[in-house]
Amino acid sequence: MLPLSSIRFFCLLLCLGSTYMVCAQNKGLLVPQPKETLPVSNDVLLQPKPAFLKTPQGPRKTAVALRAAGTGEYFLEGWELMPAEKLKASGVQLSSPAYRTSGWYPAIVPGTVLTTLVNQGVYPDPYHGLSNLLIPDTICRQAWWYRSSFRLPAVTAGKHTELVFLGINYKAIVWVNGKKAGEITGAFRRGVFDLSALLKREGLNAVAVQVLPPPNPGIPHEESPAAGMGPNGGMLCADGPTFIASEGWDWMPGIRDRNTGLWQPVLLRFSGVAMLDDPQVITDLPLPDTSNAFLTIHTQVRNNTEQLQQLTIKAGIGQSSIQQQVLLQPGETKKVTFSPERFPALRMPSPRLWWPNGYGEPNLYTLVLEISKAGQLQDRCTTSFGIRELSYELSAAVTEQEDIRIHYQPVNDTGLLFDNSRRKKVIAETSIAWLRRQADTARLQRIPEDAVSPFLVIRVNGVRIFCRGGNWGMDDAMKRVSRERLEPYFRLHREANFNMVRNWTGECTEDIFYQLCDEYGLLVWNDWWMSTEGYNVAPADNALFLDNVRDMVRRFRNHPSIALWCPRNEGYAPVALEDSLAAIAQQEDGTRYYQPNSRYLNLRGSGPWHYQWDAAVYFTGIAGGFNTELGTPSIPTAATMRSMLSPRDQWPISDAWYYHDLHGGQPAYRASMDSLYGPALGLDDFCRKAQLLNYDSHRAMLESWNSRLWNNASGVLLWMSHPAWPSTVWQTYSADYETFGSYYACKKACEPVHVQMTMPDNRVQVVNNRLQTISGAQVRYELFDLSGKRIQVQEWAGAIPAASLMETFTGPPLPDAAAVYLCRLSLTDNNGKLLSRNDYWKTGRQAGNFQAFNSSSTSLEVSQVRRTGAHTLAIRLSNPGAVTAIAIKVNVINAGTGAVSLPTWCTAGYFNLLPGETQELELDYPPGTVQPALIAEGYNVKQQYLVNDITKNAF
């Protein structure tokens, strides 16, 4: 993510005489930045002991039992770690079962080198304060050894054996029992090694892996008030396929090991005379009809022997199974296909379709493949998939005079249609590709131009999906990517009513990321590992890049959540790669569109990324098209700020804030806060006021796109929805799972059925993203003063068609008085059920700010707490005071420590209660919460206990 204005600014600075960066393409720092520009803590930072002088923590293991991972598969665990410079032994010696690993560290696998070193106490938590500065950047400039040992289970006797690395970064040289097994390079391809001739069936086996970091790790820029934001990345981009952001970006600092290590699981895989590889399930719907699905199954079958093999392959989905015979020549690998034409069982009636969040359930199926010989099982694999079909509306050029709009269905395509290297500009910032000269235009499904042309529209199961969500720059800066750590973030996305996430430059390319997107109904805009064209350097090794792309597509193509493949962030692939990448997408997958650029091509330009003084500009000058990046600052709560910074760095704003991405102090954001709410009196006051800015700005971004639903707008992705580490910018929640104003604004604006008001003209609209018409809908506009007195009211009634935007009426002008007002919009159905409520704070012309909030106060009461599950509550909250309670947030805390219990999910947050008004909420809090208590706070509500001990008071 880098706006053109920033690129020009950087180049101007560099050309004017910077001594440690270069102009033209960004190669990052050439030498470390001057010491006087480094951030400085107001606290005394605890210096770590020199590396490897500490005693390793954890049990020592001489033989490790393999942990079962599935039929014929075991996780290889018990890894240990040591820097290569501390060892004099060779791979032959280190992989000898007799070698003793005295002084080695118990390693975290899957994990990175830094994960282990932090876990072992060698270095401090880099996420806290300025502790990252205490970790030497030499970790990414040296080789490391991983080692494990194991005994083969008796049941594997006589089996063909493979060692499988699901992900290493960056290069690995693998040794087994004193012999070199092979090498692997690139963070996103699997390493598979045949160990059948290397393992001992009796006794101990040993594996030693020399892991080398990326060869161009670069020099991280350390953000501070003096040093500024710095460049985004540097020479590490030349090493793509790798985690290019780990050199440091404007949303996280340089990670000291550049995510080097065995960052994904390691497996031992056992099979018989033959084995199955990379099955693919293709689901085809006769759109617009979805009452039947046609499934095609492909799989690679390998003969592990030098003899002719007659085998049976069986495919099972649910209670249905089919089989066929296959003859394999010695050592042969063959592609086997089960087609619906040959196997009627693959013509599935009434399928349970996979839908994005908000459009239906993300239903999943499991394919079980087995290969046997004479009734004896040789190999078995399972694959999760969803029955759905992706298709796309886009525009293309046919001649200089003729452009066409097509409904493109890749599953029915047989070749490359688009020449992405030839483009025609059709409107400002937006181009379209030419159809290839040999393309058969007769088989294209042409559709009429409409109000959303020429922009991309993504369809699922024939239904237009209004894409809303956000970018994941990286799931975790240290690549701690277990299900336990990541799943709460996906649930937060689902409950914020998002339906898409962008895997920005492919930094989240691992199984669990896609599995969770499948399960939570989140479409994935999937980039590969290149960033901004003309700014960031291109990969140095094209063959290596293509090799990683090919393996990645084969591995993940069954995930229904992946919506499209995109080669890079903000630009086209290099000419030498473009056609090869498009061909891989078509040949290895064939079910998705290859989108050649994350902006400009059937899209609009990305950005802006900074705070807008007047949010009306989103409606009048920004919203439109499909935008993959749109952002604004996002300060977390005071409790989160305290958890991420040392006490003396918390307030006033310090260098540590800048290091955690404050970006030049975000002057417009802070100036707006001072103007609207008054200067902050401390950390709590600053973060309290920040939440109102967060709420209004995030809601405006998303509602501005809502206001053009299918009328020049088809999707918007926030930059960013997810933080890679504790940050103060571009996030909808904080890294500790806390939800604040930004999150609840998104949750509100992305309601499937939503009532809203445009700026600055006060048009009241209803957005219906459901596939059903809302009959007898009623919209009400009400204006209240701070005491809750109703001053204005206006109503509308009618039907809201499915998948539409309905204009109802324009709200009346505000009274010309020096006061603040609450404008409330309500939408109900024909039974009076509330479907959507949306509050806007407005100021009279003579006021111009909301500082009247500061002299108001009230308290809250809870009239009912009802337990609805082991860790779920339903509560009824009311405002008994004489003034409106503003921006209310309810949390569950650990009463013993006062810490917020996270993650906690709540149905609403930062809402308002008029005097005498009641709100019902549902909360879900973590099972491990000790003595859970319920608290509430708000802008004019001091933090107060609602229930001191939920376990005793709930009923």
Side-chain angles (χ1 to χ4, degrees):
M1 186 288 306
L2 194 80
L4 183 60
S5 59
S6 294
I7 296 173
R8 291 171 176 162
F9 175 72
F10 282 133
C11 286
L12 176 63
L13 288 180
L14 300 174
C15 294
L16 289 176
S18 173
T19 61
Y20 59 96
M21 288 188 282
V22 295
C23 199
Q25 281 195 312
N26 170 34
K27 297 181 180 179
L29 305 190
L30 302 182
V31 297
Q33 66 196 73
K35 290 185 178 179
E36 61 269 20
T37 69
L38 293 173
V40 177
S41 176
N42 296 319
D43 267 336
V44 176
L45 299 181
L46 296 177
Q47 297 291 329
K49 293 183 179 181
F52 304 100
L53 292 183
K54 301 190 74 169
T55 302
Q57 304 172 18
R60 311 304 302 168
K61 296 180 179 179
T62 57
V64 178
L66 302 176
R67 182 166 63 88
T71 302
E73 289 187 338
Y74 295 81
F75 289 113
L76 178 53
E77 299 181 329
W79 292 92
E80 296 174 292
L81 176 73
M82 197 67 174
E85 65 182 20
K86 299 292 182 181
L87 301 170
K88 296 181 180 179
S90 66
V92 173
Q93 296 166 312
L94 293 174
S95 64
S96 168
Y99 184 84
R100 295 291 174 260
T101 54
S102 176
W104 287 50
Y105 285 84
I108 296 177
V109 175
T112 66
V113 168
L114 186 58
T115 311
T116 291
L117 299 182
V118 170
N119 179 264
Q120 287 293 304
V122 175
Y123 297 121
D125 178 2
Y127 288 7
H128 188 266
L130 298 180
S131 294
N132 194 50
L133 297 173
L134 301 177
I135 304 175
D137 204 49
T138 54
I139 299 175
C140 66
R141 304 175 196 280
Q142 58 185 308
W144 298 82
W145 280 99
Y146 284 83
R147 188 181 186 279
S148 184
S149 56
F150 58 93
R151 298 181 188 275
L152 289 174
V155 295
T156 66
K159 297 287 188 180
H160 176 83
T161 307
E162 290 185 343
L163 178 63
V164 182
F165 295 86
L166 295 181
I168 65 96
N169 189 38
Y170 178 70
K171 180 177 180 178
I173 305 171
V174 181
W175 298 79
V176 178
N177 290 342
K179 301 289 181 64
K180 183 178 177 180
E183 300 182 4
I184 176 177
T185 305
F188 306 107
R189 62 150 296 177
R190 294 162 292 183
V192 181
F193 304 96
D194 185 348
L195 301 189
S196 299
L198 298 179
L199 293 182
K200 300 176 182 179
R201 293 298 163 182
E202 300 293 335
L204 201 61
N205 293 277
V207 177
V209 184
Q210 186 181 26
V211 175
L212 292 86
N216 295 285
I219 300 173
H221 174 271
E222 315 295 358
E223 188 171 354
S224 71
M229 186 172 66
N232 280 346
M235 281 307 299
L236 186 58
C237 290
D239 295 334
T242 188
F243 302 103
I244 62 176
S246 63
E247 185 177 349
W249 226 263
D250 53 12
W251 38 268
M252 77 175 200
I255 305 304
R256 298 317 195 218
D257 67 346
R258 307 297 190 271
N259 301 132
T260 297
L262 304 182
W263 73 278
Q264 282 290 278
V266 183
L267 295 169
L268 277 173
R269 184 179 175 191
F270 301 93
S271 61
V273 300
M275 65 191 313
L276 302 157
D277 282 322
D278 294 330
Q280 182 183 20
V281 185
I282 297 175
T283 60
D284 188 8
L285 302 173
L287 298 175
D289 179 18
T290 61
S291 60
N292 290 276
F294 299 87
L295 278 57
T296 300
I297 301 169
H298 300 297
T299 186
Q300 296 288 333
V301 186
R302 281 190 286 157
N303 185 348
N304 294 328
T305 74
E306 294 305 314
Q307 292 81 43
L308 186 72
Q309 298 292 346
Q310 179 73 42
L311 304 162
T312 300
I313 302 180
K314 179 181 177 182
I317 300 173
Q319 301 301 312
S320 176
S321 67
I322 52 180
Q323 64 182 38
Q324 63 175 295
Q325 304 298 311
V326 62
L327 183 67
L328 292 182
Q329 299 298 320
E332 182 185 11
T333 297
K334 178 182 289 186
K335 182 178 180 179
V336 176
T337 297
F338 293 84
S339 69
E341 292 78 17
R342 183 179 173 190
F343 297 94
L346 295 177
R347 304 173 190 174
M348 185 178 292
S350 304
R352 294 180 292 108
L353 301 179
W354 186 93
W355 289 99
N357 186 35
Y359 290 83
E361 293 300 316
N363 295 297
L364 295 172
Y365 288 82
T366 299
L367 166 69
V368 179
L369 283 175
E370 295 179 343
I371 186 167
S372 59
K373 178 180 180 179
Q376 297 297 310
L377 183 67
Q378 304 299 311
D379 195 20
R380 184 178 190 267
C381 68
T382 60
T383 300
S384 177
F385 70 96
I387 296 178
R388 62 94 184 89
E389 184 167 340
L390 291 163
S391 58
Y392 311 83
E393 297 175 35
L394 64 158
S395 300
V398 179
T399 68
E400 290 290 351
Q401 293 75 35
E402 182 187 10
D403 303 332
I404 62 172
R405 187 77 174 164
I406 62 173
H407 178 208
Y408 175 53
Q409 297 172 266
V411 75
N412 297 321
D413 192 15
T414 57
L416 297 180
L417 284 176
F418 307 103
D419 185 353
N420 297 314
S421 297
R422 296 180 65 223
R423 300 177 289 272
K424 180 198 286 189
K425 178 174 279 191
V426 289
I427 58 176
E429 290 195 325
T430 301
S431 298
I432 59 177
W434 285 76
L435 291 176
R436 292 182 181 268
R437 291 183 175 91
Q438 68 273 24
D440 181 5
T441 58
R443 63 188 175 86
L444 294 179
Q445 183 182 348
R446 298 195 184 196
I447 57 176
E449 297 278 346
D450 65 6
V452 79
S453 302
F455 297 110
L456 174 70
V457 174
I458 296 175
R459 292 190 187 184
V460 177
N461 305 327
V463 174
R464 280 180 161 187
I465 307 299
F466 192 59
C467 296
R468 296 178 294 182
N471 285 255
W472 286 46
M474 191 181 282
D475 34 32
D476 182 79
M478 291 172 64
K479 293 307 292 182
R480 297 171 295 180
V481 291
S482 66
R483 173 178 281 268
E484 292 74 21
R485 186 177 184 87
L486 293 185
E487 187 166 9
Y489 297 130
F490 287 88
R491 180 174 173 185
L492 287 170
H493 273 68
R494 181 188 67 189
E495 297 197 6
N497 298 308
F498 289 156
N499 57 35
M500 175 173 271
V501 295
R502 179 177 171 211
N503 185 8
W504 178 86
T505 70
E507 309 278 317
C508 307
T509 301
E510 68 262 349
D511 287 291
I512 192 60
F513 175 82
Y514 299 112
Q515 290 170 17
L516 289 167
C517 286
D518 291 347
E519 294 169 17
Y520 283 87
L522 298 171
L523 291 167
V524 180
W525 178 295
N526 203 98
D527 291 351
W528 289 320
W529 315 287
M530 293 183 279
S531 193
T532 310
E533 181 184 13
Y535 178 75
N536 292 112
V537 297
D541 189 333
N542 287 349
L544 175 65
F545 195 89
L546 293 172
D547 184 47
N548 276 249
V549 169
R550 185 177 295 105
D551 193 69
M552 179 266 181
V553 172
R554 288 175 179 170
R555 180 177 171 185
F556 298 118
R557 60 192 174 187
N558 287 316
H559 289 281
S561 56
I562 300 175
L564 51 77
W565 306 115
C566 185
R568 74 183 309 163
N569 169 62
E570 296 182 335
Y572 298 94
V575 173
L577 287 174
E578 170 60 30
D579 283 355
S580 296
L581 291 170
I584 288 173
Q586 200 278 328
Q587 294 164 8
E588 301 293 347
D589 179 3
T591 69
R592 296 173 179 85
Y593 174 53
Y594 170 80
Q595 167 68 36
N597 195 330
S598 72
R599 60 179 179 182
Y600 299 151
L601 201 289
N602 281 298
L603 307 169
R604 53 154 289 163
S606 50
W609 301 268
H610 54 278
Y611 181 77
Q612 303 296 319
W613 278 87
D614 182 3
V617 72
Y618 288 117
F619 293 83
T620 59
I622 295 177
F626 196 127
N627 188 347
T628 59
E629 296 184 16
L630 181 70
T632 190
S634 188
I635 301 291
T637 65
T640 293
M641 293 301 300
R642 288 191 174 94
S643 71
M644 62 192 256
L645 301 180
S646 299
R648 293 177 62 188
D649 286 334
Q650 293 167 10
W651 192 262
I653 290 173
S654 65
D655 285 15
W657 284 62
Y658 288 79
Y659 197 66
H660 287 261
D661 315 319
L662 193 63
H663 292 176
Q666 301 164 344
Y669 183 89
R670 294 169 65 187
S672 182
M673 180 189 297
D674 290 349
S675 173
L676 292 175
Y677 304 105
L681 304 178
L683 175 65
D684 289 280
D685 194 41
F686 181 85
C687 292
R688 175 183 66 141
K689 291 171 177 174
Q691 301 321 311
L692 300 189
L693 293 180
N694 289 345
Y695 193 100
D696 287 345
S697 59
H698 282 77
R699 179 175 60 177
M701 287 192 293
L702 292 163
E703 287 190 339
S704 66
W705 252 259
N706 288 347
S707 73
R708 295 176 175 234
L709 177 71
W710 308 130
N711 180 14
N712 192 43
S714 58
V716 59
L717 303 180
L718 297 180
W719 185 265
M720 306 160 80
S721 59
H722 173 81
W725 86 309
S727 181
T728 61
V729 71
W730 298 325
Q731 55 191 348
T732 57
Y733 47 75
S734 44
D736 59 2
Y737 310 111
E738 175 66 306
T739 51
F740 45 92
S742 308
Y743 176 80
Y744 285 102
C746 296
K747 182 179 174 70
K748 175 60 63 177
C750 293
E751 293 174 318
V753 177
H754 178 66
V755 62
Q756 66 176 47
M757 176 177 284
T758 64
M759 293 189 284
D761 50 8
N762 294 341
R763 289 180 293 121
V764 178
Q765 303 172 318
V766 177
V767 180
N768 180 14
N769 270 310
R770 298 290 191 195
L771 304 183
Q772 300 81 32
T773 296
I774 304 171
S775 301
Q778 294 186 323
V779 177
R780 170 174 285 198
Y781 164 103
E782 297 172 283
L783 193 73
F784 302 90
D785 66 16
L786 197 54
S787 69
K789 179 183 177 182
R790 191 167 69 183
I791 297 170
Q792 295 175 343
V793 63
Q794 192 167 342
E795 295 180 330
W796 175 93
I800 315 294
S804 71
L805 174 73
M806 174 63 71
E807 299 278 354
T808 59
F809 56 84
T810 297
L814 290 176
D816 189 9
V820 296
Y821 301 98
L822 178 68
C823 173
R824 172 164 289 176
L825 304 180
S826 302
L827 170 68
T828 55
D829 64 13
N830 55 2
N831 295 317
K833 179 183 177 181
L834 182 66
L835 301 178
S836 176
R837 173 181 288 171
N838 204 353
D839 287 352
Y840 298 84
W841 285 103
K842 305 280 189 178
T843 64
R845 296 172 187 169
Q846 299 177 30
N849 62 59
F850 299 102
Q851 295 187 31
F853 288 172
N854 300 330
S855 58
S856 70
S857 65
T858 187
S859 59
L860 301 171
E861 290 182 353
V862 59
S863 58
Q864 185 183 77
V865 180
R866 179 169 52 86
R867 185 172 297 285
T868 56
H871 302 95
T872 57
L873 301 171
I875 70 170
R876 186 173 297 156
L877 191 65
S878 61
N879 173 17
V883 298
T884 300
I886 302 165
I888 301 166
K889 173 75 184 298
V890 176
N891 262 330
V892 175
I893 67 167
N894 182 325
T897 64
V900 178
S901 187
L902 298 170
T904 291
W905 293 270
C906 188
T907 49
Y910 296 90
F911 58 92
N912 309 292
L913 283 179
L914 299 167
E917 191 172 31
T918 295
Q919 172 91 23
E920 294 190 357
L921 304 171
E922 295 180 0
L923 295 97
D924 185 348
Y925 62 94
T929 306
V930 179
Q931 195 181 343
L934 200 62
I935 62 166
E937 56 190 330
Y939 190 93
N940 61 345
V941 179
K942 291 184 178 180
Q943 187 177 99
Q944 62 179 101
Y945 281 84
L946 299 175
V947 179
N948 290 327
D949 188 343
I950 293 171
T951 60
K952 296 180 180 179
N953 290 275
F955 55 90

